[in-house]
Amino acid sequence: MIGKELISQMKKLRDVERAKDIRQLTYSIFPGPHCPLMGAMLAVRSIKDACMMVVGTEECTYYTKSTTMNNMFGGMDSPCFSVVMNYHDVAFGSHKKIEEAFAELMSEYTPKAVFLISTCLGEIIGDDIDAMAETFSKQYGIHVAPVHTEHFKSENHIPGIANAVTACLHMMKDMPKGNGINVLGQRFGSFSSTELFRVLSKAGCEVGMALPGGCSVSQIETAASAKVNIVVDATALELAKGMKESFGTPYVRFERFAAPADIFKAYTELFGYLEASLPSEVEDLHKQAVETVGDAKPSLKNVRYIYGNTPLPTYEFNAFMVSMGMIPQLIQTVELPEKPHEYLDYILENSDPYVVKSANIAPLQYVYDEMKPHLYLGHEYALRLRQKGISLVRTDQASAMLGFEVTQVVLSELTRAAAEAKELEKERAS
Amino acid sequence: MSLYRFLPAPSHRMAVMWTLMSVKDAIVLEYGPAGTTHYSMGLFGSMGLSNENRLFTTHISEDDVVMGDVSRLENAIVELDASFKPKVIFVMESGVTSVIGTDIHGVCKHIQEKVSAHVISVGEGGLRGDYATGLCEAYKTIVSQLPVDGAQQQQTINILGASAGSYRITSDVWELKDLFNRAFGLRVGVCLGLETPVKEIQQMSGASLNVALRTEAIPCAEILKDRFGTPFVYGSPYGYSGTLSWLKEIGVALGVDINEIVEETLAQKDQESRQNLMPGMMGGIRQFNATIVGDYDLLRGISAFLKEAGITHVNMICSHGLKDVTHKAEGITYFETEKERLMFLKSINNHLLLADDVSMHVAPKDNMGVCVSFPFSKHPQVATHLPIMGERGADMLLELVERFMARPVTSTNK
C-alpha cells in the first residue's frame, strides 16, 4: 500500500458537503468503529435500578455481556440480559421469545426500568420493539425504553449512546422547577470531580441528575425539576431539546471545550440561566487559561498533526489547535456539522486538512511516511509512532474534566508532545 | 425460558472466526457491520490470537443493505490482496449479509481471477448453531481447500482440533509435542487450530498420522483420510491411564512401540493415583463428588481420570449442543436453557468443580472451583507449560484431587 496513493484518494475537509461524503481510508478497515449497541450499553450500565435486555445474535449478546462482566462495567452480575435470535426468529419474528424472556426477567429481578435494545437483525426483519416496550411497560408497571442500535445506519457507537439517553425522556414527569441543574451526557468519570462541579457547588447549586454518569431511575423521573440542563456531550443534545419542549427546561452546551473563550461563554450562559452572578473564580480561571495559551503558542506554532479520536469535541478542539498556530494535516472523523459552522469555518479559513473516517489505523502507517506529522492525537501504538518520529498526544485524562482545567491539561500534553517530537526529529536527523 | 443472565454459548460464526484467525499468512475479512469486528477483539485477544493485519472488516451501510451492493466487498478483497499479499483471504458472511441473501460465494468466485490470494468464502451468519458446529465447519473448510497432495513430511503427526477457545490449549499442545517426541521420537507437523502458517497446512498431507483431539475434528480427519489416505486416531489424553492408552492407540496406528520409559512411568503413576480408591486411606467411607463443565472430550477424559483417582461421582455438563456428536458417551448432560444449567450449578455443594468463570461464579462457594474451560476471561493465560492434558496435566489434576479430598468434612459432604 502506498501512502501517496492513499492520500490521493482522500478528500479535503473543505470539499466535503455531507458526512456521507467522508471517505473510508481503505475499503477494508481495522479495528473499525464500535457499534451503537456498545454505545447503548455504555450509557445504560451506569443507571442504577435499571437493566438492559439485548436482543440479537449470539455475537451481539455475548460481546455485550462479556464487556459488562469486566469489573469496570459491573462485573459478573451486571444487569445485562440477553435474548438470542436464531433462524426461526428471523423467519417468524422474535416477539414471542422476547415476551417469554421478559416474563422470566420480571419473575427473578425487580428493575425499575428496562432498556429493551434491538440490534441489526431485529431491525432488518422489522421486530417492533417500540410496541413491545409499550406493552411490557403497561403489563409490568415499570419503565421499558426501546433503544435501536442497528449499526448499518451509523458509523460508530455514538448514536447508541444518544438513543439510550434520549429514551430516558419518557421516564420523566413534569415537576415544579427548583434551583438545581442536571448534567446531560456525562459519559466519562464523575461530574463531582470536575472544575464545573466545584464552581457550581461553591455557588450553592445542587446537581440533580447526571445522565448517564451514575444516576438512578428515580433521579431520571424527577429530572424535570431542574432549573437548567447542562449538556456536557453532544450525545445528550436530543434529550435536552426534548426536555425543553416537554418541560420548558432550558439548556446550556458546556462540552469539553478546549478554548478559554468557549468555556467562558458557557459559564456566562449557565450562570445567566441560574440567575446568579458569575463567580470571580471563573474570571480568575479564565485569566489563567488565557495566560497558558499565550505561553504555549510559540512552542506549538507550525506543529503538524494528525487528529484521530479524543474525548473533546472534534471541531472545537481542532479550531483551538489551529488558533494556536498548529497545522492539521488529516482529521479523522465521521461527523460533519451543518454549514455555516463557527469552528469548521475557522479551521477552513486557517488551514486545509484532509478528512477520512476514523478507526482505521492499519493503513495510516503508510500515510505517516508521506505526511510526516509531528503529533498524532488519539489511540495508536506509541512505540510504533516513535519509530516514525511521531509523538503520541494522550488526551484521555481530560475525559473526566469540564471547564478551564481542560485547557490546562490539553496544552500541557500538547507542549510535552511537541517537545518530544522535536527531540525525535533531532534523533532521526543524527 | 429464553433469557440469558450470563453468556450464551459462542456461536458457530465466532468459532469459525477464531479458528481461521489461527492461520498465519491469511487474512479474515468480515463482510458486515464493523462493530462486531471491534467487539470481538477482546475475546480474540484473551485467546492469544493476534488481530493486527489478520482481521479486517468492510463495514456495511444502509445503502448496501437496501440495494445489495457488493462493490465494497470486492474492492476490499482486491485492496487487501495488493496491500498485504496474503496467501489466503477468508471472507466471512455476517448475520446481516446472510439475512439479506448476499451471494458471498459468487462474489468470491468472481473476484478470484483478479487477485493472487486464494479467496475462500465462509457463508455463515451466526444463526446456525453453537461453537462446536463452528469448529467442525472451520476445520473442514481449511482441509478441504488448502492441503496439497504429494507433500514430503514423513515421520510427523498432525494435531487436529486444537482450539484457541480451549483453556490452556497452548500448554496442552506443548505437552503433546513432548509426548510424541518421548514416546515415538516423532514431531508434530501441523497443529490445526493454533498459529499455523498456510505453507505448513498445505504440506500436511505428508504426515504419518492425524490425531483428532476432539469429536468436532473427526470429519476433518476423514476428509484428509479420503483425500490423502492419512490414517487418524480420535481422542485426547487425560489422566495417566488415558494418556497411556491414547499413546498405545497411536502406536498401533503408526505400527511402532511406545518408548519403554514413557510407558513404565505412566503405568507407575497410574497405579499410584489409584491409591485414593482405598477407603482405609481416606479415614473411612466418604463420598467425593465432582462436577465438570466444558467441552465434550474434556468431560469424557477428565471424568474418567477423576474416578480413577477416587472421586465417587462425577457430573458432566457439556457447554455446547450434542447434535454433532455421533457416539454420545453416557452421563453427559447438555442443558437446553441457561436457567436449567444455573439451577443445577446452584444446587451443588462441596464439589470439586472443574469449570469456566461463569459456572464457578454461580455455584456456591463451598465448592472447590478450578478453571478448565471457556469462558475464561478472569483467568489470563501466560504460561505455556501448564497443561491439562497428558502426563503433566494428570499430575496437576491429581494434586487438585488430593487437595480436595484433604479439605475438612462439612455436613454436606460427609
Side-chain angles (χ1 to χ4, degrees), chain B residues 218-234:
Chain B
I218 295 174
C220 144
E222 282 167 347
I223 291 171
L224 290 168
K225 191 178 176 190
D226 286 347
R227 286 189 68 192
F228 310 115
T230 320
F232 73 90
V233 166
Y234 157 59

Side-chain angles (χ1 to χ4, degrees), chain A residues 1 20 24 26-35 37-38 41 53 57-67 69-71 76-77 80-87 90 97 100-101 104-105 108-109 120-121 124-125 151-155 362 366 381 384, chain B residues 1-11 13-14 29 33-41 43-44 51-53 55-63 65 72 75-76 79-80 82-84 95-96 98-100 126-129 339 357-358 361 374-375 378:
Chain A
M1 198 175 296
K20 250 185 168 178
Q24 206 165 276
T26 47
Y27 291 104
S28 51
I29 54 178
F30 176 80
H34 284 297
C35 68
L37 170 58
M38 180 168 180
M41 178 276 287
M53 184 189 265
T57 60
E58 274 109 338
E59 279 175 288
C60 296
T61 55
Y62 186 98
Y63 293 139
T64 307
K65 178 64 187 184
S66 70
T67 307
M69 278 166 60
N70 185 313
N71 289 338
M76 285 274 196
D77 294 313
C80 172
F81 303 92
S82 322
V83 180
V84 175
M85 293 176 77
N86 57 23
Y87 266 123
V90 170
K97 194 180 250 184
E100 211 176 87
E104 263 188 280
L105 174 72
E108 292 176 35
Y109 302 87
C120 293
L121 273 193
I124 284 185
I125 64 169
H151 195 183
F152 55 84
K153 281 188 187 168
S154 68
E155 293 294 344
Y366 305 96
Y381 298 101
R384 197 163 65 182
Chain B
M1 290 194 282
S2 313
L3 186 73
Y4 281 95
R5 298 133 192 93
F6 294 96
L7 297 167
S11 69
R13 185 173 184 275
M14 290 161 79
L29 173 64
T36 321
T37 312
H38 202 142
Y39 238 164
S40 66
M41 283 171 60
L43 174 69
F44 296 154
N51 293 312
E52 207 186 351
N53 295 345
L55 173 65
F56 291 88
T57 175
T58 56
H59 190 49
I60 189 166
S61 72
E62 194 173 14
D63 293 351
V65 171
R72 189 191 286 258
N75 288 327
E79 181 183 82
L80 285 173
S83 305
F84 298 98
V96 171
S98 147
V99 167
I100 63 172
L127 298 162
R128 204 168 294 162
K339 188 169 188 170
D357 281 343
V358 173
H361 174 74
F374 182 87
K378 309 278 180 197

Side-chain angles (χ1 to χ4, degrees), chain A residues 181 183 190-207 230 254 267 270-271 279-286 288 400-406 408:
Chain A
I181 56 106
V183 181
S190 164
F191 181 67
S192 61
S193 67
T194 64
E195 171 198 297
L196 176 58
F197 174 79
R198 204 176 63 239
V199 169
L200 286 169
S201 299
K202 281 185 190 166
C205 185
E206 273 185 26
V207 179
I230 306 177
F254 199 128
Y267 266 122
L270 174 60
F271 277 88
S280 59
E281 187 188 359
V282 173
E283 308 268 8
D284 294 343
L285 290 168
H286 180 221
Q288 286 165 22
M401 295 178 178
L402 286 163
F404 296 106
E405 59 185 353
V406 177
Q408 299 290 1

Side-chain angles (χ1 to χ4, degrees), chain A residues 114-182:
Chain A
V114 178
F115 289 81
L116 187 59
I117 302 176
S118 77
T119 56
C120 293
L121 273 193
E123 294 294 327
I124 284 185
I125 64 169
D127 270 345
D128 188 354
I129 64 151
D130 293 352
M132 281 188 249
E134 202 179 325
T135 308
F136 297 151
S137 193
K138 282 179 192 156
Q139 192 178 343
Y140 295 100
I142 57 162
H143 302 290
V144 183
V147 183
H148 302 265
T149 67
E150 65 277 22
H151 195 183
F152 55 84
K153 281 188 187 168
S154 68
E155 293 294 344
N156 59 24
H157 63 300
I158 300 297
I161 302 176
N163 290 350
V165 168
T166 310
C168 293
L169 180 64
H170 299 290
M171 300 181 193
M172 296 174 184
K173 303 167 195 162
D174 204 358
M175 305 281 291
K177 295 276 177 282
N179 286 318
I181 56 106
N182 291 322

Side-chain angles (χ1 to χ4, degrees), chain A residues 299-325:
Chain A
S299 54
L300 294 178
K301 193 170 167 53
N302 293 329
V303 169
R304 298 183 301 273
Y305 69 91
I306 291 180
Y307 183 85
N309 181 29
T310 77
L312 281 72
T314 303
Y315 289 95
E316 195 273 344
F317 187 27
N318 276 281
F320 172 64
M321 288 190 284
V322 170
S323 78
M324 297 296 290

